[in-house]
Structures are given as structure tokens and as C-alpha cells.
Amino acid sequence: TAVVGFLHAAPDGWSATFAAGGHPLPLLVRDGRATTVARPGTLLGVLDVVRHHDVEVRLRPGDHLVLYTDGVDEARRDGDVYGTQRLLSTIGAVADPDLPAQDLADRILGDVTGFQDGPSRDDIAIVVLKPLPTDAPDQPADGSDAHGTPPGP
């Protein structure tokens, strides 16, 4: 499975284009709600003909994009599955435009692992993107580089 995404900077903000091939669809978190961004595409490597659909979304200040593996929505407890609806509800309950991307990822992960009965049966990966304003400086305010390395002497 795969999701391919491109972020595009423009003078008036950001846009993202996604295509999915059998992978859980990316989520856009806006105004306290999470909604899917892409359309389902053909599972990769299974069929001779692959169909995918590019979907573009304009990003606003405070938006978050959430990408995740199926280990998130397929987490299990006592025969119940975590599911996409629970994921959407969890995100909606904690969504805040000022919430850092890492905090949103941590809260999702905490809810998923708290739901499970025992160790994960599948990989769990969560990536949350929160676009910076297009006029933001290239380096963080603390002077560190893009990898968090503090400035040298």
C-alpha cells in the first residue's frame, strides 16, 4: 500500500496533493473536525491496472494533516477494532489549531495503544504535518537547524 503526497508553497499559503493506493487515506484536521483528504485507489502490486486519483486541498493556518498506517485503525481489543470512526472522533476531541503536530501524534498514539489489549499486532506509524506560514523564516526561532541541531559556537 502507499500514499503519495506533495506539498506546494504559494504566496497565499500551502496546498497538498495526495494519491492513495490501498493505504488508509490522509486526514485533514480543520475547525475541530477530521475528514479524509484523498480517494481510495487500487492496491499496489495486486492488479495489472492501477488507478489512483489526485486530490488537492488548500491548507489554512491551524490545519493539520494526519497520515497513518493501518496498524492504527486496525488495532484490536476483545474482538473489537479501533476503526476509522474512533480515530476521527479522537482527533476531533483533541484538535486545536494551536496544538503542535507532535502533541497531536502523541495523543492519537496514546489512544490507540490504550485501546489495545496487549502488544500491537501490526506496525503503527503516525505522521502529523502542520504547515508553517509561507512567510515563516527558514530556521526555527531558537537558531537550530531543520534537524533540531543547536547552532555551533
Side-chain angles (χ1 to χ4, degrees):
T1 67
V3 165
V4 175
F6 296 96
L7 291 174
H8 314 274
D12 62 341
W14 291 90
S15 66
T17 304
F18 289 101
H23 195 78
L25 301 178
L27 303 174
L28 172 67
V29 184
R30 174 180 289 160
D31 300 329
R33 256 185 46 167
T35 56
T36 57
V37 173
R39 291 176 46 203
T42 307
L43 183 64
L44 298 180
V46 175
L47 303 173
D48 291 336
V49 177
V50 175
R51 298 190 198 287
H52 70 275
H53 314 278
D54 289 349
V55 176
E56 183 174 356
V57 62
R58 297 287 297 166
L59 302 175
R60 298 186 207 156
D63 286 351
H64 293 82
L65 289 169
V66 179
L67 295 94
Y68 61 97
T69 59
D70 60 2
V72 171
D73 58 347
E74 293 177 4
R76 298 183 183 282
R77 175 179 66 201
D78 299 326
D80 290 330
V81 176
Y82 187 83
T84 304
Q85 276 311 121
R86 182 177 174 120
L87 175 60
L88 295 173
S89 295
T90 297
I91 292 171
V94 301
D96 178 338
D98 297 323
L99 188 68
Q102 182 65 55
D103 290 355
L104 180 54
D106 290 344
R107 290 180 184 186
I108 296 167
L109 180 60
D111 195 62
V112 171
T113 57
F115 173 84
Q116 295 182 132
D117 57 359
S120 300
R121 294 176 178 89
D122 198 354
D123 65 295
I124 293 177
I126 301 166
V127 175
V128 178
L129 304 172
K130 183 176 181 180
L132 295 173
T134 55
D135 61 350
D138 290 337
Q139 292 193 357
D142 67 0
S144 63
D145 66 13
H147 304 287
T149 307

